[in-house]
Amino acid sequence: MDPDPGQVAKKREAAISTLMARKFPMLARIGALRPDGQWGPGVHQRGVSPEQRTEVDRYRDRLEAMPLDELFEWAEREREAERREEAVRLEAIERSASYNQPDAEADVGLWSRKAFWEPEEAVALLLGKDPRVVSGAAVRRFGSSPFTVRYAELQDLIRRAGQSGQIVDTSPGAYLDWARRINLDIPSNLEAAVTANGGTIADWRKRVAELEAALSAVAEERDALHGRVQSLEARSPTEKSVSTRERASLLKLVIGIAAVGYGYDPSASRSEKIKEIAEDLASLGVPLDEDTVRKWLREAAEHLPSETGDGPEG
């Protein structure tokens, strides 16, 4: 597809304008040349000599006669050179700026000991700068640079964090904790100094909260154990009573089986039935010696009516 003639013409004029401004920067700055590279109105009143005008016209004629590809390539090289020159210029300004001088470096030992930081002080310190040298007003004088952009962005973050309640405590440690939470870079010497002066507030608060939680858990466990002890103490008489009744019932069962099943006579001085009972238990795999059988039968006999239970065998 053939290029649009109108677009080609615009690109050609832009290339010529670039090269004219690069060749005659002073004339471009005073407005003697229009953006299209032509002479501006009132050019003679601007002190442009006839010789300068002749030189400019000849240069433009040369550019207009060039092949388009060569013209566009030359203009692009000049634009790239202009970008490099501008970068060098801005770097020189940045190096000479007050915020990049040695006295602008933060005295972290001093500032880490302060009880609190003002928001603007925190901005400078988190950038490694001394708030007494680097302030919002001082930074604004330098226009747009990598540092001034960072300063403005951090200043906006801190302002919004304060308004939203993310930053309430304005101690040095609190600002550092907030910066960590949002993954901001913190100058290592500032962090070390704040930590050396007692650690960060949030760290201490976290430890206190953990201790309070642990104490609360211990108190809850203590109360639970106390409640269990009270419950057991309250239930003990009832449980003891239930155990006594069950024991009595079991002994009644034993004497009943011995008397009815084996013909055991609790009033007899001696009884062969004790040996028989012991042997039957042994055959079932539940061995009890005769003395044990006799002991329990004697105790069980106490639960018989008095006329049957008098005088158990010995």
Side-chain angles (χ1 to χ4, degrees), residues 84 139 198 209 231 306-307:
R84 289 197 300 269
V139 167
S231 177
S306 58
E307 60 273 11

Side-chain angles (χ1 to χ4, degrees), residues 233-303:
E233 289 176 346
R235 289 200 303 266
S236 289
T238 303
E239 290 175 353
K240 183 176 180 180
S241 175
V242 170
S243 176
T244 301
R245 289 197 301 270
E246 290 177 348
R247 179 185 177 87
S249 297
L250 182 59
L251 290 174
K252 289 177 181 179
L253 180 63
V254 168
I255 194 61
I257 292 172
V260 176
Y262 286 90
Y264 170 70
D265 182 3
S267 62
S269 58
R270 298 192 63 81
S271 175
E272 293 297 325
K273 301 299 181 180
I274 292 176
K275 180 179 179 181
E276 184 180 350
I277 292 172
E279 290 174 349
D280 285 347
L281 288 172
S283 68
L284 292 173
V286 189
L288 284 178
D289 59 47
E290 292 182 28
D291 288 340
T292 301
V293 173
R294 183 180 296 105
K295 167 193 165 186
W296 286 111
L297 287 176
R298 183 185 298 115
E299 185 173 345
E302 295 177 358
H303 293 276

Side-chain angles (χ1 to χ4, degrees), residues 14 22 48 54 63 79 179 183 194 200 210 221 241 243 271-272:
R22 291 283 290 170
V48 179
T54 298
L63 297 177
R79 292 188 186 105
N183 298 317
V194 171
T200 62
E210 289 173 349
E221 186 175 355
S241 175
S243 176
S271 175
E272 293 297 325

Side-chain angles (χ1 to χ4, degrees), residues 176-204:
L176 264 58
D177 291 321
W178 167 79
R180 289 192 200 94
R181 288 198 302 273
I182 63 171
N183 298 317
L184 286 180
D185 291 332
I186 302 172
S188 57
N189 61 342
L190 178 65
E191 187 169 22
V194 171
T195 302
N197 281 311
T200 62
I201 296 301
D203 287 342
W204 283 108

Side-chain angles (χ1 to χ4, degrees), residues 10 21 35 74 123 126 134 149 159 166 199 222 235 250 268 284 311:
K10 288 181 180 179
W74 187 10
V123 175
L126 288 172
V134 179
V149 170
R159 177 181 63 81
Q166 293 181 19
R222 177 205 61 200
R235 289 200 303 266
L250 182 59
L284 292 173

